[in-house]
Amino acid sequence: MKYPLASPDITAEDIAAVTAVLKTGMLVQGPVVAALEQSFCSYTGAAHAVAVSNGTATMHLALKLLGIGPGDEVVVPALSYVATANVVELVGAKPVFVDVEERTFNMDVEQLETALTPATKALLPVHEFGLCCDIANIHKIAVAHQLPLIEDAACALGATQHGVFAGTTGLMGSFSLHPRKSITSGEGGVLQTPDEGIATKLRQLRNHGIEMVNGQMDFVEAGFNYRMTDYQAALANSQMQRIAQTLIKKRQLSEVYFNEIKNPAITLPFVPQGHDHTWQTFHVLLPEDLDRPAVIAKLRAKGIGANYGAQCIPATTYYARKYDQDAATLYPNAWRAYTCGLAIPLYEKLTPADLQYIAAAINQL
Ligand SMILES: *Cc1c(COP(=O)(O)O)cnc(C)c1O
């Protein structure tokens, strides 16, 4: 495939940073993980950042730390990557789905209010595809109902809404460092929090529940091993040094699609005023009467790795079996994105000419 859907930019400096750690022979969590955490705090302004083994682990830790379990409900958007709901299932709680807005693909705040019940124990909105959800108003609801707010900012490192970075409004903000996200460590995740006590607890939970008392190791929780290795952190931290330029480049590339995709059947993404998108995914909507698998096959024949965007989670097999909801009726906007959405390539290594080629192929659909 000439233009895969995603491809991380790994520079010579990135490789040198990783090999430098490998040469020390000290591979597990150590000073480079701490340096990566510091880079997150410097970039987003968060007080504390805790790096772990992947993005799903960050949210699992967050829910564990809050003591959420059987009988509890956590509100999540109906459209996301399944991990957002899976972590709720993993702690034995119930994900309560809320439809997304038609144009932003983010949680509909008015519907969020109606989803709250006495069993609601946390809000877990997503900044879908790298566009901030209406986090200011979701935060107001969280405060009014005294609910902890966890942001799934997996796709949104560097996204802002009126200057506020994704992952800095809630009690915790979660990032993924998978190769399809703003920066990568291969696999990795980072959890930010303004609360020092929570940060300490998260560090303990990621490392077997260890607490050092008078230089002695004690185990005060049944913790996990969710540590990141230092050589993974070296890759991510090297990429972190140029993230601002990376995102500027992606935003410039996105303009090529906005200027060049002229097919009236294609609905382009919507970016509300005051938002900076990360363009983790450039996600367009096809008309309902266009055969999506045929579109994908046509684009692939031209070397373009288009694919589906995100899941309407309650419609996936596990959730459909367990909760048996009529997802298409209950969550029409998530359903529309799930059935008619198309992700097309947009990443740092592409040139404006590459995007013109892809746009031309889309215009010919
Ligand atoms: C990628 C992603 C995750 C999962 O992150 P991993 O690092 O792959 O575990 C969770 N939520 C959303 C919205 C994502 O896009």
Side-chain angles (χ1 to χ4, degrees):
M1 192 83 64
K2 182 143 193 248
Y3 304 112
L5 180 57
S7 178
D9 187 31
I10 308 292
T11 64
E13 292 88 73
D14 293 346
I15 293 167
V18 175
T19 50
V21 173
L22 292 175
K23 283 174 189 161
T24 68
M26 292 188 286
L27 306 186
V28 297
Q29 178 187 298
V32 190
V33 168
L36 173 65
E37 294 172 342
Q38 193 47 54
S39 293
F40 266 74
C41 293
S42 308
Y43 179 58
T44 68
H48 307 277
V50 179
V52 299
S53 44
N54 59 71
T56 307
T58 64
M59 295 190 287
H60 190 203
L61 277 190
L63 295 178
K64 273 281 175 190
L65 178 129
L66 294 170
I68 291 170
D72 297 337
E73 294 178 356
V74 177
V75 179
V76 301
L79 184 80
S80 181
Y81 186 57
V82 288
T84 313
N86 285 352
V87 291
V88 181
E89 290 286 321
L90 284 174
V91 297
K94 180 184 173 190
V96 172
F97 298 104
V98 169
D99 200 12
V100 295
E101 295 170 347
E102 191 179 3
R103 297 204 299 168
T104 63
F105 307 115
N106 276 322
M107 190 188 264
D108 185 316
V109 178
E110 277 168 36
Q111 293 190 41
L112 162 60
E113 291 240 61
T114 64
L116 302 179
T117 76
T120 309
K121 288 289 149 43
L123 306 182
L124 181 46
V126 177
H127 303 293
E128 188 61 30
F129 302 136
L131 175 73
C132 286
C133 64
D134 187 359
I135 194 68
N137 281 313
I138 294 174
H139 181 62
K140 279 186 195 151
I141 294 170
V143 170
H145 295 269
Q146 295 186 302
L147 290 168
L149 171 60
I150 307 164
E151 296 173 59
D152 181 348
C155 305
L157 176 61
T160 61
Q161 182 197 37
H162 303 299
V164 177
F165 273 99
T168 59
T169 301
L171 185 62
M172 287 176 261
S174 154
F175 299 94
S176 165
L177 309 188
H178 179 275
R180 271 191 70 183
K181 317 294 173 148
S182 295
I183 63 162
T184 188
S185 55
E187 299 282 0
V190 170
L191 202 51
Q192 293 187 163
T193 178
D195 185 308
E196 187 172 2
I198 286 179
T200 303
K201 211 70 202 264
L202 289 170
R203 293 182 201 287
Q204 205 169 68
L205 277 174
R206 88 175 151 185
N207 191 19
H208 306 287
I210 291 174
E211 188 174 282
M212 297 303 284
V213 182
N214 301 328
Q216 291 284 349
M217 215 187 260
D218 192 10
F219 300 88
V220 297
E221 296 282 348
F224 301 88
N225 176 356
Y226 274 169
R227 295 180 310 243
M228 179 188 281
T229 67
D230 254 16
Y231 57 96
Q232 289 174 304
L235 175 56
N237 203 26
S238 178
Q239 301 206 334
M240 201 62 184
Q241 307 314 310
R242 63 174 191 279
I243 184 168
Q245 295 95 291
T246 300
L247 293 178
I248 287 171
K249 176 135 192 248
K250 289 177 78 178
R251 285 168 191 147
Q252 286 168 347
L253 287 173
S254 75
E255 291 300 321
V256 178
Y257 280 152
F258 282 108
N259 293 331
E260 303 273 332
I261 297 178
K262 301 222 168 72
N263 187 336
I266 303 294
T267 307
L268 289 167
F270 171 67
V271 184
Q273 278 296 314
H275 281 251
D276 272 334
H277 206 303
T278 66
W279 298 112
Q280 184 270 339
T281 296
F282 195 94
H283 185 258
V284 303
L285 287 179
L286 303 175
E288 272 162 55
D289 57 5
L290 203 58
D291 177 5
R292 186 168 57 168
V295 165
I296 290 173
K298 247 190 210 173
L299 292 173
R300 287 195 181 156
K302 294 181 176 178
I304 300 164
N307 211 340
Y308 307 149
Q311 289 86 37
C312 176
I313 302 174
T316 63
T317 299
Y318 171 84
Y319 292 93
R321 277 196 190 130
K322 184 159 180 183
Y323 298 107
D324 192 25
Q325 292 186 318
D326 179 1
T329 306
L330 288 171
Y331 315 108
N333 294 333
W335 179 258
R336 176 91 208 287
Y338 180 51
T339 53
C340 302
L342 190 74
I344 59 175
L346 200 171
Y347 42 90
E348 209 181 349
K349 286 189 293 189
L350 295 177
T351 65
D354 295 332
L355 272 79
Q356 278 164 0
Y357 170 82
I358 297 167
I362 287 170
N363 289 337
Q364 284 159 17
L365 289 175

